[in-house]
């Protein structure tokens, strides 16, 4: 496979996934093409060895796995589907000074400043009363730019470049029009109707704003990929490509979960029951389950902070990953990352086998450290785990930057991992 083709698929995936719902739909479609069979959690399962399956929960989390004839342990690849954004409130319409605005609530730890002066659209899920009188849900995307959060001009805030702070309740309400009123429900029903769905009444919604600027390259030699949601859709994409490249007898499991950015304690999150429930249905009884977990290996993939040339001092200089320097192994003494010497060694050996480099990230000892789905999954399942990720700048901004050479390197390393070590 060539890198330009691999990255073209990545850009397409980023653009086609404005919300976790869209990401999971995209991943499902890629698995369908490769012969994975869709399961429903609310049905009885009769799994057959030599086949491949996937299952979703809440439409925002997905688990895919192969079922070899002799299953000893899985190579598991983990990532998260959600990214920080502005979520639309249940009763969103605000009328102010001739403007129509939609009230929002920040989701996750987003950088608020970059959301100003962007061409925003709306996507997510709506639940409605369908023409047959039953409740139904649909994933929607307005696609066109509909809204903007204009900055306050510098003439009206002389200190803007020194100490402008942002109030998330009052300062970032997107403007969606000029009118005396807006019937939000009718706006949604009209959109559904324009797209061929007859709905009588809007019951509820999970909608968010997103930036309509497309993912792309920057750099004289296209060194960088820039897009919204690189954290952590880049890992979802790499892991999906791995799943689509392996055979039925290669014991693999991929888990892409929602709600990592808000602590994972949800039905569809890493601290929820989804992964354990699926694994218990694959195994027969506690003995089988425990053996499988102790023989499995989880690679928790989430973005790593690359060193920023304007702000190098926020990194430990010996553990400052470079963009396009290869995948990053993340280590934290206080176990905010689940890596240990044995799991790190396994990843390093796979990288050596693939002829690829690795880098390390340890946060400065006088600074806090983020976390991932790695520690919570390792703790609840008892599975040996390494935390790794691709170096990224501007993490949690509306537009992030990653190296155009790094994603495919990770893909090639992950392909080298097998249930009994590297081949
Ligand atoms: Zn992340």
């Amino acid at each position: 496979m060539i890198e330009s083709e691999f990255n073209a698929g990545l850009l397409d995936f980023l653009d086609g996934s404005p919300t976790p719902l869209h990401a999971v739909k995209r991943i499902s479609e890629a698995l369908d093409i490769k012969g994975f069979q869709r399961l429903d959690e609310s049905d009885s399962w009769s799994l057959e060895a030599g086949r491949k399956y996937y299952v979703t929960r809440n439409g925002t989390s997905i688990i895919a796995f192969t079922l070899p004839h002799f299953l000893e342990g899985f190579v598991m690849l983990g990532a998260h589907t959600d990214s920080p954004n502005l979520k639309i409130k249940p009763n969103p319409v605000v009328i102010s000074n001739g403007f129509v605005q939609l009230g929002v609530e920040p989701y996750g730890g987003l950088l608020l400043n970059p959301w100003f002066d962007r061409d925003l659209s709306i996507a997510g899920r709506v639940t409605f009363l369908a023409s047959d009188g039953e409740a139904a849900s649909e994933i929607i995307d307005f696609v066109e730019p509909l809204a903007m959060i204009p900055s306050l001009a510098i003439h009206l805030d002389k200190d803007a470049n020194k100490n402008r702070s942002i109030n998330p309740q009052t300062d970032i309400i997107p403007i969606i029009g000029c009118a005396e009123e807006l019937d939000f429900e009718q706006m949604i029903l009209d959109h559904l109707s324009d797209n061929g769905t007859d709905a009588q009444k809007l019951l509820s919604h999970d909608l968010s704003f997103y930036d309509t600027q497309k993912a792309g390259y920057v750099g004289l030699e296209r060194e960088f990929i820039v897009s919204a949601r690189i954290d952590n859709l880049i890992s979802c994409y790499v892991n999906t490509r791995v799943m689509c490249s392996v055979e039925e007898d290669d014991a693999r499991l991929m888990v892409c979960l929602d709600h990592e950015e808000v602590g994972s304690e949800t039905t569809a999150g890493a601290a929820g029951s989804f992964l354990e429930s699926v694994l218990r249905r694959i195994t027969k009884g506690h003995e089988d389950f425990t053996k499988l977990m102790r023989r499995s290996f989880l690679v928790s993939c989430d973005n790593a902070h690359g060193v920023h040339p304007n702000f190098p001092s926020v990194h430990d200089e010996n553990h400052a990953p470079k963009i396009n320097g290869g995948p990053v192994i993340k280590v934290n003494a206080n176990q905010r990352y689940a890596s240990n010497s044995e799991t790190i060694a396994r990843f390093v050996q796979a990288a050596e086998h693939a002829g690829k480099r690795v880098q390390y990230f340890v946060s400065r000892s006088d600074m806090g450290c983020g976390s991932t789905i790695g520690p919570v999954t390792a703790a609840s399942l008892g599975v040996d785990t390494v935390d790794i990720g691709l170096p990224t700048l501007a993490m949690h901004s509306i537009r992030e930057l990653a190296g155009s050479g790094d994603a495919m390197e990770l893909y090639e390393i992950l392909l080298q991992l097998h249930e009994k070590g590297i081949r």
Side-chain angles (χ1 to χ4, degrees):
M1 190 191 307
I2 54 168
E3 190 181 86
S4 58
E5 183 272 327
F6 188 86
N7 284 341
L10 171 59
L11 300 185
D12 183 57
F13 179 65
L14 288 162
D15 286 336
S17 306
T19 74
L21 294 151
H22 295 82
V24 165
K25 187 161 173 276
R26 283 274 182 140
I27 294 168
S28 304
E29 287 163 1
L31 296 170
D32 286 336
I33 290 169
K34 289 292 175 179
F36 283 75
Q37 189 180 326
R38 188 184 183 104
L39 298 166
D40 188 319
E41 279 198 288
S42 58
D43 290 341
S44 297
W45 291 4
S46 47
L47 303 174
E48 285 172 46
R51 304 194 70 161
K52 303 182 282 191
Y53 298 95
Y54 73 91
V55 55
T56 68
R57 187 181 276 195
N58 187 42
T60 57
S61 293
I62 183 166
I63 295 171
F65 56 95
T66 58
L67 206 52
H69 286 92
F70 301 101
L71 175 63
E72 291 214 26
F74 280 119
V75 171
M76 297 163 55
L77 307 176
H80 66 89
T81 57
D82 60 322
S83 306
N85 66 71
L86 295 179
K87 187 166 192 274
I88 297 178
K89 291 178 177 175
N91 297 320
V93 177
V94 176
I95 306 293
S96 173
N97 294 286
F99 291 104
V100 183
Q101 297 170 276
L102 294 182
V104 290
E105 188 181 12
Y107 171 90
L110 71 172
L111 276 172
L112 289 173
N113 263 307
W115 281 78
F116 287 90
D117 312 328
R118 295 279 174 168
D119 306 352
L120 305 175
S121 189
I122 294 170
R125 177 171 60 200
V126 290
T127 303
F128 52 87
L129 208 56
S131 48
D132 62 3
E134 298 286 328
S137 290
E138 207 152 286
I139 299 173
I140 63 168
D141 181 357
F142 279 83
V143 181
E144 295 295 319
L146 296 175
M148 186 168 152
I149 312 166
S151 291
L152 185 60
I154 193 157
H155 319 77
L156 305 176
D157 181 4
K158 295 276 187 229
D159 290 336
N161 290 331
K162 283 188 213 145
N163 56 6
R164 178 180 284 174
S165 64
I166 300 162
N167 181 314
Q169 171 66 20
T170 57
D171 296 353
I172 52 158
I173 313 173
I175 294 174
I176 193 169
C178 264
E180 298 294 309
E181 57 182 6
L182 172 71
D183 186 338
F184 182 72
E185 176 174 0
Q186 199 55 51
M187 173 186 130
I188 301 295
L189 296 181
D190 288 347
H191 177 81
L192 285 169
S193 161
D194 291 347
N195 289 277
T197 300
D198 230 2
Q200 296 179 27
K201 184 177 185 231
L202 180 64
L203 296 173
S204 190
H205 58 86
D206 286 313
L207 295 170
S208 301
F209 282 101
Y210 71 92
D211 188 2
T212 55
Q213 188 177 359
K214 298 279 185 217
Y217 290 103
V218 299
L220 287 172
E221 306 285 340
R222 296 181 150 217
E223 291 97 329
F224 312 115
I225 283 171
V226 288
S227 171
R229 303 175 299 280
I230 286 178
D231 174 15
N232 184 3
L233 291 183
I234 198 168
S235 306
C236 292
Y237 174 75
V238 170
N239 292 352
T240 302
R241 290 295 298 249
V242 171
M243 288 307 283
C244 288
S245 303
V246 299
E247 301 299 326
E248 283 81 348
D249 268 326
D250 193 350
R252 296 273 182 167
L253 183 146
M254 173 182 80
V255 54
C256 301
L257 298 170
D258 195 8
H259 296 143
E260 190 272 345
E261 300 292 358
V262 293
S264 294
E265 291 202 29
T266 67
T267 330
S273 60
F274 187 31
L275 179 55
E276 180 173 344
S277 165
V278 168
L279 287 162
R280 287 199 181 276
R281 294 175 85 163
I282 294 172
T283 51
K284 292 175 191 62
H286 186 66
E287 175 89 357
D288 230 28
F289 172 78
T290 305
K291 264 169 43 191
L292 181 71
M293 287 302 89
R294 293 308 302 149
R295 292 175 182 183
S296 293
F297 178 56
L298 170 65
V299 184
S300 162
C301 309
D302 202 347
N303 299 52
H305 293 295
V307 63
H308 191 308
N310 301 350
F311 307 96
S313 64
V314 296
H315 275 76
D316 178 306
E317 62 183 294
N318 284 357
H319 305 94
K322 292 191 173 55
I323 298 289
N324 286 322
V328 178
I329 296 167
K330 301 194 266 185
V331 177
N332 178 251
N334 296 301
Q335 299 301 302
R336 303 278 291 163
Y337 301 131
S339 315
N340 64 44
S341 68
E342 291 184 339
T343 59
I344 291 170
R346 197 159 167 189
F347 187 80
V348 167
Q349 283 185 302
E352 281 173 0
H353 209 249
K356 304 296 174 196
R357 307 154 297 170
V358 296
Q359 317 182 71
Y360 286 87
F361 175 76
V362 181
S363 62
R364 281 179 62 108
S365 299
D366 53 5
M367 286 179 75
C369 179
S371 193
T372 72
I373 65 160
V376 57
T377 311
S380 62
L381 298 179
V383 60
D384 292 332
T385 300
V386 64
D387 265 298
I388 59 104
L390 296 173
T392 308
L393 299 187
M395 202 187 290
H396 290 196
S397 173
I398 199 166
R399 203 156 175 85
E400 301 169 322
L401 179 150
S404 50
D406 287 330
M408 192 163 147
E409 286 203 21
L410 176 57
Y411 165 80
E412 288 174 349
I413 293 170
L414 295 176
L415 277 182
Q416 295 301 325
L417 288 163
H418 299 283
E419 56 181 311
K420 294 184 189 107
I422 58 167
R423 263 180 201 156

